[in-house]
Amino acid sequence: MDNTESKRVKVLDKTFRHYISRDEIAAAVDRIAGEIERDMKGRNPVFICMLNGAFIFAADLIRRMEGAQELRFVKLSSYSGTQSTGKVKTALPLEADITGRDVIIVEDIIETGGTMHHFIGELREKHPASISIATLVTKPERLQYPLEIKYTGFRMKASDFIVGYGMDYEQYGRNLPDIYIIEE
């Protein structure tokens, strides 16, 4: 066991223990990149990164892809602290013509699916050729909306709250290169 696996970090008022190593994350990103390249061979998808949390995942994913990749950013939120508010707010809308384009939404974590469900509805109004979801983490037990999540790095329990690799607690902890899980 290397010492990062027994490591704990404090983020504001919460303590988190090591959960997923940077090597495991890198392997998942490599796998997802390979799956996308296989599925999108000969096509020119536009990647839409969901800010703030997915920026590190999106950067690593794009760097592992062959050829030029178009990357756009949007910012929607539904979180306060460790809980979803259930209301989606758009802070940075999509500023790209995606008509007839294959779209791959890059997300850090999908829990209830409310934000993603809302965003996909907005995207469909712009008439893309296809919409796929690539997420680093999903919590299948918490999903409240029917979503087809085509590319997933890790599946977690509904009660798990994590930070690191772009994911945060009250905007802190995104810089951690590994993923940490909250200690109860």
Side-chain angles (χ1 to χ4, degrees), residues 101-120:
R101 298 283 307 273
D102 294 300
V103 170
I104 299 173
I105 304 167
V106 182
E107 180 63 292
D108 58 345
I109 186 167
I110 297 175
E111 296 192 46
T112 66
T115 301
M116 188 61 62
H117 177 75
H118 173 87
F119 186 55
I120 287 172

Side-chain angles (χ1 to χ4, degrees), residues 49-57 107-108 164-168 174:
C49 174
M50 304 288 281
L51 294 175
N52 289 339
F55 78 103
I56 293 175
F57 175 43
E107 180 63 292
D108 58 345
Y165 196 74
M167 293 170 278
D168 74 298
R174 294 186 195 281

Side-chain angles (χ1 to χ4, degrees), residues 32-56:
I32 292 169
E35 291 170 1
I36 292 171
E37 284 185 329
R38 178 197 65 220
D39 294 348
M40 293 289 150
K41 189 168 185 72
R43 295 153 80 181
N44 183 25
V46 59
F47 291 81
I48 300 175
C49 174
M50 304 288 281
L51 294 175
N52 289 339
F55 78 103
I56 293 175

Side-chain angles (χ1 to χ4, degrees), residues 16-161:
F16 296 81
R17 67 177 164 77
H18 189 264
Y19 190 62
I20 302 172
S21 73
R22 62 194 80 186
D23 292 339
E24 292 170 297
I25 295 167
V29 174
D30 285 344
R31 178 179 47 78
I32 292 169
E35 291 170 1
I36 292 171
E37 284 185 329
R38 178 197 65 220
D39 294 348
M40 293 289 150
K41 189 168 185 72
R43 295 153 80 181
N44 183 25
V46 59
F47 291 81
I48 300 175
C49 174
M50 304 288 281
L51 294 175
N52 289 339
F55 78 103
I56 293 175
F57 175 43
D60 285 349
L61 183 65
I62 292 298
R63 285 188 295 225
R64 286 172 170 83
M65 307 288 296
E66 293 292 322
Q69 303 297 327
E70 183 177 352
L71 178 62
R72 298 295 181 134
F73 298 90
V74 296
K75 185 174 182 180
L76 294 93
S77 66
S78 65
Y79 258 75
S80 178
T82 62
Q83 299 296 315
S84 175
T85 64
K87 296 179 183 174
V88 178
K89 296 183 292 187
T90 301
L92 178 64
L94 178 64
E95 295 182 358
D97 181 8
I98 60 168
T99 305
R101 298 283 307 273
D102 294 300
V103 170
I104 299 173
I105 304 167
V106 182
E107 180 63 292
D108 58 345
I109 186 167
I110 297 175
E111 296 192 46
T112 66
T115 301
M116 188 61 62
H117 177 75
H118 173 87
F119 186 55
I120 287 172
E122 286 183 7
L123 289 179
R124 284 193 176 123
E125 293 175 8
K126 298 177 184 281
H127 309 289
S130 68
I131 300 171
S132 300
I133 302 168
T135 186
L136 184 65
V137 176
T138 188
K139 296 182 178 181
E141 298 166 359
R142 284 203 65 197
L143 279 176
Q144 297 175 7
Y145 298 88
L147 293 176
E148 181 185 338
I149 303 171
K150 193 164 189 176
Y151 310 104
T152 300
F154 303 96
R155 288 172 176 77
M156 299 181 67
K157 293 186 301 185
S159 60
D160 293 343
F161 185 81

